[in-house]
Amino acid sequence: MRILVVEDEPVLSDQVSASLRFAGYAVDVARDGPQAYALGDVNAYDAVILDLGLPGMDGLTVLGRWRRAGRAMPVLILTARDSWHDKVEGIDAGADDYLAKPFRMEELLARVRAIVRRAAGRATPELVCGPVCLDTRSGRVSCAGLPVALTAHEHRLLAYLMHHADRVVSRSELVEHIYAEEADRDSNTVEVFVSRLRRKLGAAIITTVRGTGYRLECPS
Ligand code: CA
């Protein structure tokens, strides 16, 4: 899963992006409105954290332009404390949730998990597929009740497939959602991660759909 953090205060921006990376997300950072708009316009993010007061172009304008352009990714806005009109305007402009500054990082992470799973149509924080269970709160993965250790990339790939378990996911889509902007991307490595996941979770868990991509197989 991949997140865009838009915040012009360097200390807060570093704290938020470090917490998200520690929680397992691929993270891109924008420090002003135009840069945020451009990144959100071309990349596929699973969520965006958007400060409203930004140099260049304010957050509400960025959000409005994304939505008018059909960009539907979940957006959590950061508002000033007690600014009820920021919250109302932000939600009316297409934000999915808001968080007033200052906030606890635990609350930010919980809200991000919630908007990511709602956008994927999942109601509960525990994602289950056959014997495989991924608890999005702790990041723990188990198979038939036994804990499974995954690398950061394997974990992101599994999390994306589990959020989108009802459809075929293309290799390029996976690349978009497991790497940050500056990362070395190689779509062949997706195949490597998939084969490692099959080894750890059982060969039948991920089907290769020839010429299209991959599908998580969840027997009901
Ligand atoms: Ca700001």
Side-chain angles (χ1 to χ4, degrees):
M1 309 302 259
R2 183 177 175 197
I3 311 256
L4 174 63
V5 174
V6 186
E7 169 61 65
D8 58 317
E9 282 172 52
V11 173
L12 184 57
S13 169
D14 287 351
Q15 284 171 346
V16 169
S17 46
S19 299
L20 288 164
R21 286 191 186 106
F22 187 74
Y25 299 99
V27 179
D28 292 341
V29 176
R31 292 279 170 81
D32 61 50
Q35 188 194 10
Y37 177 75
L39 283 172
D41 193 42
V42 297
N43 294 307
Y45 291 108
D46 295 293
V48 177
I49 293 158
L50 179 65
D51 183 33
L52 292 187
L54 294 170
M57 190 196 307
D58 67 80
L60 280 180
T61 306
V62 173
L63 178 57
R65 286 179 59 178
W66 280 335
R67 294 308 193 222
R68 279 194 297 282
R71 309 295 296 172
M73 66 289 201
V75 174
L76 169 73
I77 53 171
L78 302 180
T79 67
R81 197 160 63 97
D82 298 333
S83 178
W84 63 269
H85 50 89
D86 273 2
K87 295 166 193 163
V88 171
E89 279 183 63
I91 290 166
D92 279 343
D96 299 86
D97 198 2
Y98 66 84
L99 194 53
K101 293 180 184 178
F103 51 82
R104 299 277 311 189
M105 222 46 87
E106 291 87 345
E107 183 174 2
L108 176 105
L109 292 171
R111 288 181 184 277
V112 167
R113 290 192 293 272
I115 59 175
V116 166
R117 69 173 181 254
R118 277 204 301 268
R122 314 276 150 201
T124 59
E126 272 197 341
L127 305 177
V128 177
C129 174
V132 178
C133 178
L134 183 142
D135 188 331
T136 60
R137 295 162 297 191
S138 60
R140 286 196 189 98
V141 174
S142 63
C143 186
L146 297 173
V148 178
L150 300 178
T151 66
H153 284 111
E154 291 163 9
H155 194 280
R156 262 179 234 151
L157 198 151
L158 179 69
Y160 191 77
L161 286 176
M162 290 196 78
H163 276 87
H164 301 275
D166 44 357
R167 63 179 177 87
V168 178
V169 177
S170 75
R171 211 197 286 184
S172 60
E173 185 179 345
L174 285 170
V175 169
E176 273 285 303
H177 288 270
I178 63 172
Y179 291 112
E181 182 82 359
E182 75 278 10
D184 263 339
R185 289 147 177 248
D186 178 356
S187 66
N188 291 319
T189 56
V190 165
E191 237 166 301
V192 175
F193 298 145
V194 166
S195 65
R196 286 198 210 139
L197 283 174
R198 283 180 177 137
R199 210 165 337 150
K200 293 179 180 183
L201 304 171
I205 192 80
I206 302 170
T207 308
T208 302
V209 182
R210 196 188 285 268
T212 316
Y214 301 100
R215 187 175 53 227
L216 203 66
E217 298 296 340
C218 305
S220 46

